[in-house]
Amino acid sequence: MSNGDKRFIYIVVSKTDTALGKLIQKKLGVSYNHCSVSLDESLENIFSFGRKELHNMFRAGFVRESKNEGFFAAHKYSYVAVLRIPVTEEQWWQVKECLAQFKKQKNQYKYSVLGLAYCYLGIPMKRKNKYFCSQFAAELLQRSGIQLFDKDESLVRPHDFLGLENGQVVYKGEIRNYCVA
């Protein structure tokens, strides 16, 4: 284990140039419109709710992303902020177990466009097996005993992660330039 035997969860918030990304940025007046979770500092395995196919925004759900594959490989100039959140050993393993369950049942999950609209309106809404990216990240961590927000997970937006007291921004820049220190 690196980093002095401490465990961390990495949150990647990104500014993407997709049609939905631009709409979110404009409507909410924020720079970041997407959120992902990683257990590894290298960001080779990032998990979120987003596009399952690069050029098809209508086929979306639970996805594995990587800084070097898929969406981020095609959009290597996407601007990101990478946050490092310290967690206990038990919490880290709980996140890993929750992610394993999502991976195992990935075809049961869909992207929640309706949930995204309700989030914009400030109305909490949870739907079975349907998430948008920041709702997924917040709920994944909450299920693992990592309570980061004083609001319902369905109201958490990607940029909310930047305001966390215990989150340390370890990188800001284009995803293609990110490397482990």
Side-chain angles (χ1 to χ4, degrees):
M1 203 170 5
S2 62
N3 294 311
D5 292 331
K6 292 182 182 179
R7 289 288 190 169
F8 298 97
I9 302 295
Y10 296 88
I11 304 293
V12 181
V13 288
S14 49
K15 176 182 179 177
T16 60
D17 61 358
T18 64
L20 182 58
K22 288 177 181 177
L23 178 66
I24 291 169
Q25 291 166 37
K26 184 177 181 180
K27 286 292 183 188
L28 297 180
V30 296
S31 296
Y32 298 96
N33 59 280
H34 185 62
C35 180
S36 311
V37 177
S38 182
L39 292 173
D40 60 278
E41 187 178 18
S42 67
L43 305 184
E44 288 305 319
N45 292 290
I46 311 170
F47 300 95
S48 189
F49 269 69
R51 297 169 186 237
K52 289 186 173 189
E53 297 173 6
L54 189 57
H55 300 291
N56 184 352
M57 67 183 255
F58 299 106
R59 194 156 179 277
F62 178 74
V63 294
R64 177 198 165 270
E65 302 170 327
S66 169
K67 76 175 201 82
N68 296 312
E69 298 172 26
F71 182 86
F72 285 126
H75 296 266
K76 61 187 172 194
Y77 298 103
S78 293
Y79 193 81
V80 300
V82 180
L83 288 91
R84 183 172 75 178
I85 299 172
V87 296
T88 67
E89 183 83 12
E90 182 180 342
Q91 290 169 330
W92 190 91
W93 284 103
Q94 284 292 327
V95 172
K96 187 173 178 77
E97 178 62 32
C98 283
L99 283 171
Q101 290 300 316
F102 271 95
K103 286 188 264 186
K104 187 176 179 181
Q105 300 169 343
K106 66 182 177 186
N107 293 327
Q108 294 180 18
Y109 296 104
K110 304 289 182 220
Y111 190 88
S112 182
V113 174
L114 188 58
L116 193 61
Y118 272 77
C119 179
Y120 172 71
L121 296 172
I123 302 169
M125 179 191 188
K126 292 184 181 180
R127 300 170 68 204
K128 183 178 178 170
N129 295 338
K130 294 189 179 187
Y131 297 89
F132 54 90
C133 61
S134 52
Q135 175 190 16
F136 161 73
E139 188 168 314
L140 172 72
L141 298 177
Q142 187 273 330
R143 280 189 198 176
S144 303
I146 306 164
Q147 186 65 38
L148 300 175
F149 300 101
D150 291 330
K151 60 182 169 181
D152 191 272
E153 293 84 13
S154 67
L155 296 177
V156 174
R157 298 172 179 183
H159 64 273
D160 291 338
F161 285 92
L162 294 172
L164 293 173
E165 284 183 22
N166 60 341
Q168 177 190 8
V169 176
V170 294
Y171 176 78
K172 275 189 176 183
E174 292 175 349
I175 187 86
R176 69 187 181 114
N177 294 327
Y178 175 82
C179 62
V180 178

